[in-house]
Structures are given as structure tokens and as C-alpha cells.
Amino acid sequence: MAAAAHAVSQLQQKLPTLKAPKKFLSDAQYFNATTKNETLVRQLNSNSVVAKLEAMKKVIAQLSKGRDVSELFPAVVKNVASTSLEVKKLVYLYVIHYAEEKHDEALLSIAHFQKDMTDKSQHVRALSLRVLSSIRVPIIVQIVLLAIRKCTNDPSPWVRKAAALAVPKIYNLNQDEKPQLVQLIDQLLGDNSPTVHGAAAHAFCAVCPDNYELLHKHYRKLVRQLGQVDEWGQVVLLNLLLRYARTQFLSPFKEGYKQKKKFYASDSSSESDDDGYVEYEMDEDHRLLLNNALPLLQSGNHAVVVAVASLYLHLAPQVEFSSKIGKALLRILRSTRERQYIALIVIHTLATQRPAAFRPFIKQFYVTPADPIFTQQMKIDTLALLADSTNVNQIISEFKVYLHSAPEELLAGTVRALGRVAFNHHDVSETCLSTLAELTTHPNEIVVGESVVVTRHLLQKVTTGQGKIILRLTRLLSSLELPIARASIVWLVGEYLKVPQVAQVGPDTFRSLLKTFVKEDSSVKMQIVILGAKLMIHDYEEERVKERIADLFKYMLKLVQYDESYTLRDRVRIVKRILADDNGDLREKAQLIFAVAKKEADFTDPGEERTRFQTGSLSHVLNNQVSGYIPLAEFPTKQPDVSVRDDQMNYSSDDSDDSSESGTNDESDSFYSSSDDSAEKKTKKKARKVESKETESETESETESESKQETETESESESESESSESSEPVAKKKQPAKKAAKAEPVKQQQQQQQQQPPAKEEKKPTDLLQFMSDFTPAVGEKPQDTDTAVHSDPLASAWGFGQAEIDRSPEKAGKEPHGPATGDVSPKAEEEEEDE
């Protein structure tokens, strides 16, 4: 067998290694290619398009790997004028990356960038604008501003989106152009394509984040088209709408809102049953935002889900924060560890204010060995927040398992979480104290120290059994070395001297601590001094005990005189002065100074500090305010004017018909029309009716004249047939005379119509035809809408861009029952609409 294996290995070495041809390899091969810059320059300067394309793929692959390929900038930028669309796109990607660093070389090709602004391909036009705006030179600000203004009127939504993304770059270069940029943002926010809205919202947040008056007329359109915006645009738009709503609507968290009764419930049942779902009456636009944001929880983008959860936390009533949001956020826990951690931070913040939404899924927060330490700690803190009377025993048993099997880094956090559960639920405090008492024998000193500290805080909540627990803790002083734990035990002995069991062991504990006083930490020394003062003022019945405590106290004063800490020495001088025998007034008040009632310990979760930030923001994740963070505004105390959003009417099918009838992208024909122009609309409809009637009369006259010509030709043919065929019946010979008699009233109607003034013809828009000649309709074809002209580009249709515009195409409109194929509304339909 060994000989056969050796023969096979030798045979494999002799056989040539087979490699797949290059044409069968994917573009991933360029990431492993190592080509010298001289070879790339030679390929970029060659006349072969294939060589240039291969070289550009290698350059972009190296660029994506983080390598510096700026030396190739002159050779790459010369290929901007390439006729190959693929090469041109790759060149633009390279130039966009290095335009800010190599702005002097990029300025040499600015003529080509401006020329590409009129290219047939929408991608080339968008990329050329991206390159122009990426050249951070103040000299060309006006040129870029003109290009942006031109692209905002481009028929392609992708080009208009690129224009919106270029607006913040101009604002960073020259803030004096803000008034013009605000006008452009206003125009982009009113765009009919949802593709533009996300980029327009980004431009709004960068240029004028507080100018909410600009959003009034666009609010309803942005909310209704929220589901059609791209995913990352939805994140920006949700954040913008959240900030807008916080300034325009009343708080849904305050009391005093009217409550709607259930529709099918009787008055008696609705008054008696208060546990059911209650819907708050709020502003219609407020409700519109909540209803349109809820379906976005099904988005595949996790940032969108977090944005919707943040919006519902800060805008929705507590009763509407349902478990749907909890399910959507728990779906992120199945993702990568980084996303899982961010989702746990968001869930932890939401659980502090809306824990009911996550309590049905408590098992999803159980710790698994595969989780990293930071994820395990966040899960334990979240479990402590979700504990209530129904699941507290289950959570405590889960914590006990972690204390015996979890890694050392997690033990301290688990003990603190157990203490928070016991502090918030008094019925399980004794159970938690017994568990913490068992942890005092744990081999890990950190666990023992944390259990002592937590026990110290919990004893302030417990009224019985304090003596046994303190006696058990005092036995640990001989072995426990953690300073904070030793200080906590000493504090407990001095604080609970009123308990008989503690008062008996107090003097002996004080004596044993003085033996190691010199070696103790400064915090422990301070507690020993306070314990001695409390023992001095405590009323012991036996004089022998009092004398013994006084001798120990004098010995402690001598030890402190030679201590290194001047703070401790000063404190001891104050204590000595208060307890001096010759000062009776201060000694009488010593009980109020040393034995005053202590405030209960603060057992708040450390993650609750994040609630001061907007959920999902970078400051919220880091728990620290970063530069550029804008806090959420408070709700107004009085309802702002609601009519500011009524300037444009709601979207309806009638508005869509009117917009398809106009065939332009003008704002006056958008989904929302002004409510003040209702009278003007009626006059326009009446004028349209008159014109349609006149056109009908013209068509009738033309048909009658054609019928007259046909009758004349028929009469001539029949006269010829009479001369040739004498055998025809007499009845047929009288037919031309009857037709001529019928044609006489037609002539009279035609003469009357000629006397009437000719009807005015509607001028069809030619802006798009002048802007792009590629979309000019051929002879015999029906003119296209401006909204659908962009889809004549085969590349756009192949990639599926602008589905919203394709849905409004004339071909599809012809199939719909509300209008003919050309998008014009028939006069009869308008008459029926006016009658209604």
C-alpha cells in the first residue's frame, strides 16, 4: 500500500497542473493579482479597450483592498473620454476616490465631466456630477452649483438623487450659498420619485436641520411614500420625521387624552373593562406617521428596524408599543456578533421603559457558551430588567446557574444583576440574600467581594434576619482581602449596632481590625475609625465593656497619628474633638452625626444613562455625547397650527389622473394640490368641458363631410352602373337622390360651424423633448409622459430603476379602468365627477 501511494504521488508531480481559462474566471481573480504599476500604465495607455478594462479592474480591486494607487492618477484620468461605458464607470469610481487628494489633476479633466452631464446614460450623468462635487476646490463652486441645478430637473431619478447628495458637499465648501441650496432642497423634497426622497432628507439634515417650515407642505407625501424609499434613505427619513413630529404634535405620554371606546363593545362593558387595548386620539398626521412606519419592521435592513423602534419609543403611546417591535429586534440577534451587540443595547434601553414588549421572549436572552463576553453581560442586564412577579423565580434560578458555570469575567456582573432583581422585588429579597450568603464561600475573591457589597445594600431593604447575615460576614474578615468588601463589612457592623447580635460582636471585631490597621487600605481605615466612634457613643450597660472600648479607641488614635494619609489624620482630629469629655454639647449631638439614618442604596442599572440620548444614535451606543449630536426637542405644550400641512391635499386617484393628464413633473400637478385653488379648478374643468364639446363638434363635422364625399362617389358610380346595366330595378336609381337630400342638412351644419371661432388647442409640453432628443416619439407613435420617458433607456430598464415611474406609464394606464391609454380624462367622466 505504501508503494502504491508513493507511485501515485510521483505521477501527480509529473502531470501538469490544469488551470481554468481566464474567460471562465470571475472578477474575483483581480483581487489576488499582483501587477506592477508599469504594466498597468502600459495597459491604460494602449488603444485596446479590453486591455484598459482589465487594467481598471485591477486598479479598483487594489483600491478596495486599501492599497495606495494614487500614482496611476494621470494614466487613469486620461481614460475619462473613453467610448466604453464600463471603462468610464470604473474611471469615475477611481477619480471620485482621489478627487479630493488630487484636485489639481482632476481640474484638468473638468471639461470632460461637464460634457458627460449630457450623456445618454443616466449612470454616466450621475457619476459625472459625483466627480464634480468631490473636487473640493472653492473656485469651481459656481460650476458645480449650476450642474446641480441642471440635474435637479433631469428626467432620471438617479441623477436627481446624485444632485441631492451633492448639495451637502457644496454647503461644506461655501456656506454662503445656503439660500440657493435650501431652494434646491425644497424642490428635491417635492420630487415625485421616492428614489430622491432619502437623499433629499440627507441634504436637509446637513444644510438646514432646524428649518421645519420647509417640511410642512411635503410631510404627507414623504410619509405616504416612506415604504418606497431605498433602505438607507428610510433610516435618514425616519430620523427626520421623528424630529419634525416632536416639534409639531402634542406628547402622547401625558394624561388627559380622550380614549376611544371599542367599536363592538357596549357602554357598560367598556366602562367596566379598562384592561383592554385603548387607542389614543391624536393628530391625523401623527397617526399617519405611525401607521406608515410600522410595516417597515419587516425590512431586511437592521438599521431600518432600529429606526422604527426608536420612532415608536419617542412618539407612540405606551399601549401601542406592541410585541411586534420586540419580535423585529429579536430577529437581529441571529445576525453577526457586532449587530447582535447593537441590537442588545437598543433592546436594553427599550426594556427600561417598555419591558412588556419583551417579556414574552425572555428565553431569547439566555446566555449561551458561544456568545462573547460583552454579549453575555448585556443579556444578563436585560434579564434583570425584564424580571417581574411572574418570571422572577425563573430568572433567579438562571442566575444561579451562571454563578457556577460562567467565566470569571461574567461573575461580578451576574452578582450585581441578582442584587438589582432583589432590590426591585421585595418578595424575593430573602431568597437572593441567602444566595449571596452562599457566594461568600466562593473560591473567586471577586465574587465574594461583589456579594458582600450587594448584601450591604440589600440589608437596608430587609427588616428581619439581619443579625445572622452580618455575623456570617464578620467571619470573612480573617480571609477576605478585597478592600471594598472589607470596608463594607466594617460599615455593616457599625450601622447595625442596634441589633443585639451585632452589638455583642462589635467590640471584638474592632479589636481584631486594629491588629491589621497599619496594613489596611485607606478606605478600610476610614470605616474602622467610624466604627470606633459609633462604639464610643453606643449605650452599653456594662462598664467593663465601655472601658475596654475607650482603651481601644485611644490606641487607634495613636496609630492614626503616624499614618501617611493626611485626610485620615484630619478626620480623626474631628472625631476626637467631637468625642472629647470636656465638650458636652458636641457629645450629646454625636448620635445625630454618626448614627444618622442612611439613604437607601441606588440600584439603578448603569445602562439607564443611555436613555438621555436618542435610541439608535452613535451617542446612545457609546453612552457619551459625540460631536454633531442634536438632542430631541421636547413636545410642545400647545398644539401648533395644523393648517400648515393642509396646503397640499391628500393623495387620491383623481390627482394621479390629473398628473398623468398634464404629462409633466411640475409641482402643481403632483400628488398634493392646493386646497385654496378649488374654485380655480372648477373653472378649469368647465373650460375643459367647453373645449371638449367644441372638439367633438369639429370631429362630427369632419365625419359628415367625409360621408358626403362618400355619397357623391357612390352616386357617380351608381350613375355609371345605370348607363351600363339597364336591367337594374328602379328603386336603386332613386338611392342617390335620397342620399343627396340627407346631405343638405350636413352642409348647413358645416356652414354654421365655419362661422364660429376656432377652438383653442392645448400646447403640449416640450421641455423634455428639448432637453433630451433621444426620447422624441417617432411618427405615428403616441407622445410619452415625462415621468416615463426615462425608461426608454435600455440600461435603466435592465437594472429595474424607477419602478414608480414605470407604474405610471401610458401603456399601463391604458389597462386601468380610470382613463384611456393617453392619460387624458374623458369629458363624460368629468361630468359625472362634477355631478357627484
Side-chain angles (χ1 to χ4, degrees):
M1 294 293 292
H6 180 68
V8 170
S9 62
Q10 287 184 349
L11 183 61
Q12 289 178 351
Q13 292 177 1
K14 293 180 181 179
L15 291 175
T17 57
L18 299 177
K19 294 183 178 180
K22 283 189 176 182
K23 63 180 181 179
F24 295 116
L25 296 177
S26 64
D27 290 342
Q29 60 178 321
Y30 298 108
F31 289 92
N32 299 324
T34 55
T35 308
K36 296 182 179 180
N37 290 343
E38 294 79 5
T39 306
L40 293 175
V41 171
R42 194 182 314 113
Q43 291 179 342
L44 291 170
N45 294 331
S46 65
N47 296 327
S48 174
V49 177
V50 177
K52 290 182 179 180
L53 181 60
E54 185 176 359
M56 284 306 306
K57 287 182 178 180
K58 294 178 181 178
V59 170
I60 296 298
Q62 298 300 320
L63 182 67
S64 62
K65 292 170 68 175
R67 297 183 181 177
D68 185 15
V69 288
S70 58
E71 298 179 359
L72 304 174
F73 193 88
V76 172
V77 79
K78 285 190 293 186
N79 292 286
V80 173
S82 176
T83 57
S84 174
L85 184 60
E86 295 184 3
V87 174
K88 183 173 287 189
K89 287 182 180 180
L90 295 176
V91 170
Y92 271 126
L93 292 176
Y94 178 88
V95 175
I96 288 171
H97 185 79
Y98 287 108
E100 186 174 358
E101 181 181 350
K102 302 282 186 179
H103 52 80
D104 293 335
E105 291 85 348
L107 286 174
L108 300 176
S109 303
I110 195 171
H112 290 286
F113 303 149
Q114 290 178 310
K115 182 181 178 181
D116 287 341
M117 297 290 294
T118 59
D119 194 89
K120 293 188 297 183
S121 175
Q122 58 180 352
H123 302 290
V124 174
R125 297 199 302 272
L127 286 171
S128 61
L129 180 60
R130 285 184 61 188
V131 172
L132 280 175
S133 60
S134 299
I135 303 174
R136 305 297 178 87
V137 180
I139 303 174
I140 63 169
V141 168
Q142 296 300 327
I143 298 176
V144 180
L145 193 59
L146 290 173
I148 294 174
R149 190 177 290 109
K150 180 180 179 181
C151 289
T152 51
N153 299 319
D154 194 276
S156 172
W158 293 97
V159 180
R160 300 197 296 272
K161 179 181 178 181
L165 294 174
V167 168
K169 299 179 182 179
I170 298 298
Y171 180 73
N172 293 332
L173 280 178
N174 189 2
Q175 296 185 0
D176 296 335
E177 304 293 339
K178 183 176 180 179
Q180 300 183 34
L181 297 177
V182 170
Q183 293 178 1
L184 294 174
I185 292 172
D186 188 12
Q187 181 180 351
L188 292 167
L189 286 172
D191 198 280
N192 290 334
S193 176
T195 308
V196 188
H197 292 162
H202 171 70
F204 179 90
C205 295
V207 178
C208 50
D210 299 330
N211 190 7
Y212 296 121
E213 295 179 357
L214 200 66
L215 293 177
H216 290 325
K217 57 184 177 181
H218 308 299
Y219 172 79
R220 292 174 183 171
K221 177 193 286 188
L222 294 176
V223 172
R224 283 194 173 91
Q225 295 186 356
L226 193 58
Q228 303 177 20
V229 182
D230 61 287
E231 293 178 344
W232 292 110
Q234 287 175 350
V235 177
V236 180
L237 195 55
L238 284 169
N239 183 26
L240 176 59
L241 293 174
L242 167 60
R243 295 182 177 276
Y244 175 82
R246 292 277 293 196
T247 60
Q248 300 299 320
F249 306 130
L250 294 177
S251 173
F253 312 126
K254 294 182 179 180
E255 297 180 358
Y257 277 92
K258 296 181 180 179
Q259 297 180 351
K260 293 181 179 179
K261 298 179 180 179
K262 297 180 182 179
F263 185 76
Y264 292 103
S266 61
D267 295 338
S268 59
S269 62
S270 61
E271 290 176 0
S272 60
D273 187 13
D274 295 332
D275 298 331
Y277 174 74
V278 177
E279 183 182 1
Y280 288 92
E281 287 186 354
M282 60 175 62
D283 191 275
E284 293 182 357
D285 293 328
H286 192 174
R287 174 61 58 194
L288 181 67
L289 176 59
L290 295 177
N291 291 341
N292 283 274
L294 189 61
L296 298 182
L297 290 173
Q298 302 177 3
S299 174
N301 192 325
H302 297 160
V304 178
V305 178
V306 172
V308 175
S310 175
L311 185 139
Y312 261 76
L313 175 67
H314 297 294
L315 284 183
Q318 295 185 5
V319 293
E320 295 189 13
F321 198 91
S322 60
S323 59
K324 294 181 181 178
I325 300 174
K327 287 182 180 179
L329 289 172
L330 289 173
R331 192 174 69 243
I332 309 178
L333 297 181
R334 305 183 185 96
S335 183
T336 58
R337 52 191 290 178
E338 292 81 9
R339 296 182 180 181
Q340 187 180 13
Y341 180 67
I342 299 298
L344 284 172
I345 290 176
V346 174
I347 291 172
H348 184 271
T349 303
L350 297 178
T352 58
Q353 304 177 38
R354 309 285 190 274
F358 301 97
R359 280 178 181 143
F361 318 106
I362 194 171
K363 292 186 179 179
Q364 299 290 332
F365 300 102
Y366 285 176
V367 174
T368 59
D371 294 333
I373 295 297
F374 52 85
T375 301
Q376 292 178 354
Q377 187 62 56
M378 287 301 302
K379 285 186 175 182
I380 289 174
D381 293 340
T382 307
L383 282 173
L385 285 174
L386 298 179
D388 62 350
S389 58
T390 60
N391 56 19
V392 63
N393 295 323
Q394 181 182 358
I395 291 175
I396 290 176
S397 62
E398 189 72 16
F399 284 167
K400 288 180 181 179
V401 175
Y402 300 156
L403 291 172
H404 292 89
S405 61
E408 295 183 357
E409 297 87 351
L410 197 64
L411 294 176
T414 306
V415 173
R416 287 192 292 268
L418 183 64
R420 287 195 295 272
V421 172
F423 188 81
N424 296 326
H425 302 278
H426 306 293
D427 51 346
V428 295
S429 297
E430 296 182 359
T431 305
C432 293
L433 280 173
S434 61
T435 304
L436 292 171
E438 295 174 359
L439 292 176
T440 55
T441 59
H442 198 278
N444 193 335
E445 187 178 357
I446 298 176
V447 177
V448 177
E450 287 293 336
S451 62
V452 170
V453 174
V454 173
T455 303
R456 167 198 163 187
H457 296 310
L458 289 178
L459 283 175
Q460 295 178 268
K461 302 283 289 184
V462 180
T463 57
T464 58
Q466 298 170 340
K468 294 181 180 179
I469 297 174
I470 294 174
L471 290 176
R472 187 171 184 175
L473 293 176
T474 53
R475 300 190 189 102
L476 299 174
L477 290 173
S478 58
S479 59
L480 191 62
E481 296 181 359
L482 196 65
I484 187 173
R486 294 179 64 85
S488 298
I489 295 174
V490 176
W491 182 89
L492 285 173
V493 175
E495 185 68 19
Y496 292 95
L497 285 175
K498 295 180 180 180
V499 179
Q501 296 175 343
V502 180
Q504 291 178 3
V505 300
D508 192 57
T509 304
F510 183 54
R511 179 189 60 81
S512 62
L513 288 170
L514 290 178
K515 293 181 181 180
T516 58
F517 184 84
V518 180
K519 300 178 182 179
E520 297 288 352
D521 188 75
S522 59
S523 60
V524 182
K525 290 178 181 179
M526 189 67 69
Q527 295 299 328
I528 293 174
V529 171
I530 295 175
L531 174 61
K534 290 181 178 180
L535 288 172
M536 288 289 292
I537 64 177
H538 186 71
D539 189 12
Y540 282 99
E541 297 179 354
E542 299 180 5
E543 292 293 334
R544 185 175 58 85
V545 176
K546 291 182 179 180
E547 293 177 358
R548 186 179 181 185
I549 292 173
D551 294 339
L552 292 174
F553 187 77
K554 291 178 181 179
Y555 177 70
M556 182 197 68
L557 294 178
K558 292 181 180 180
L559 293 175
V560 174
Q561 288 180 358
Y562 305 100
D563 194 84
E564 297 178 354
S565 174
Y566 60 87
T567 304
L568 181 63
R569 294 198 301 268
D570 293 341
R571 292 285 182 89
V572 170
R573 289 192 191 99
I574 296 172
V575 172
K576 181 180 178 181
R577 183 61 181 167
I578 294 173
L579 299 178
D581 294 335
D582 56 349
N583 195 345
D585 296 337
L586 286 177
R587 189 173 181 84
E588 291 177 359
K589 297 179 181 179
Q591 191 73 21
L592 300 176
I593 297 173
F594 295 108
V596 66
K598 303 299 188 296
K599 189 189 298 185
E600 290 186 357
D602 186 12
F603 253 101
T604 58
D605 191 271
E608 291 185 6
E609 297 179 0
R610 289 192 172 96
T611 55
R612 57 196 173 108
F613 300 112
Q614 180 184 349
T615 308
S617 61
L618 180 61
S619 299
H620 171 254
V621 174
L622 299 178
N623 197 14
N624 189 16
Q625 184 171 348
V626 299
S627 60
Y629 173 76
I630 303 176
L632 287 176
E634 296 294 335
F635 285 101
T637 55
K638 296 181 180 180
Q639 176 64 51
D641 187 11
V642 184
S643 61
V644 293
R645 290 182 295 276
D646 294 337
D647 292 338
Q648 295 188 4
M649 298 173 60
N650 297 337
Y651 173 77
S652 62
S653 59
D654 299 336
D655 294 333
S656 63
D657 293 342
D658 294 338
S659 62
S660 64
E661 185 177 336
S662 62
T664 60
N665 289 334
D666 196 10
E667 290 182 1
S668 61
D669 295 328
S670 61
F671 293 129
Y672 299 85
S673 58
S674 176
S675 60
D676 298 334
D677 299 339
S678 59
E680 187 179 352
K681 267 191 167 183
K682 292 181 179 179
T683 55
K684 286 183 179 179
K685 285 185 177 181
K686 291 180 180 179
R688 211 182 304 163
K689 284 183 181 181
V690 174
E691 290 177 2
S692 61
K693 289 179 180 179
E694 290 176 357
T695 52
E696 284 182 356
S697 61
E698 287 180 1
T699 53
E700 288 178 358
S701 62
E702 290 176 1
T703 53
E704 288 173 356
S705 61
E706 290 176 0
S707 63
K708 179 183 176 183
Q709 292 177 1
E710 290 176 359
T711 53
E712 290 177 357
T713 53
E714 287 177 0
S715 62
E716 291 176 0
S717 61
E718 286 176 357
S719 61
E720 291 175 359
S721 62
E722 276 182 317
S723 60
S724 60
E725 297 177 0
S726 57
S727 61
E728 290 291 330
V730 182
K732 289 184 180 180
K733 292 180 182 180
K734 295 180 180 180
Q735 287 180 359
K738 292 181 181 180
K739 290 182 180 180
K742 290 181 180 180
E744 289 179 2
V746 176
K747 290 181 180 180
Q748 295 177 0
Q749 291 180 1
Q750 188 174 3
Q751 290 175 2
Q752 292 176 1
Q753 291 174 0
Q754 289 176 357
Q755 294 177 1
Q756 295 178 357
K760 295 182 180 180
E761 297 181 356
E762 288 186 41
K763 293 184 179 180
K764 296 184 178 179
T766 58
D767 296 306
L768 180 61
L769 303 179
Q770 293 175 0
F771 187 75
M772 294 186 67
S773 58
D774 298 325
F775 305 113
T776 305
V779 178
E781 291 183 357
K782 296 179 180 178
Q784 289 184 346
D785 255 348
T786 53
D787 290 338
T788 59
V790 66
H791 301 290
S792 59
D793 191 353
L795 186 59
S797 60
W799 284 84
F801 294 129
Q803 296 298 328
E805 283 76 14
I806 294 177
D807 295 338
R808 297 198 298 271
S809 63
E811 291 79 10
K812 189 169 182 180
K815 298 178 183 179
E816 296 178 354
H818 61 73
T822 58
D824 296 328
V825 183
S826 62
K828 294 182 179 180
E830 290 183 353
E831 290 177 2
E832 293 175 359
E833 180 183 358
E834 187 67 26
D835 294 337
E836 291 175 358

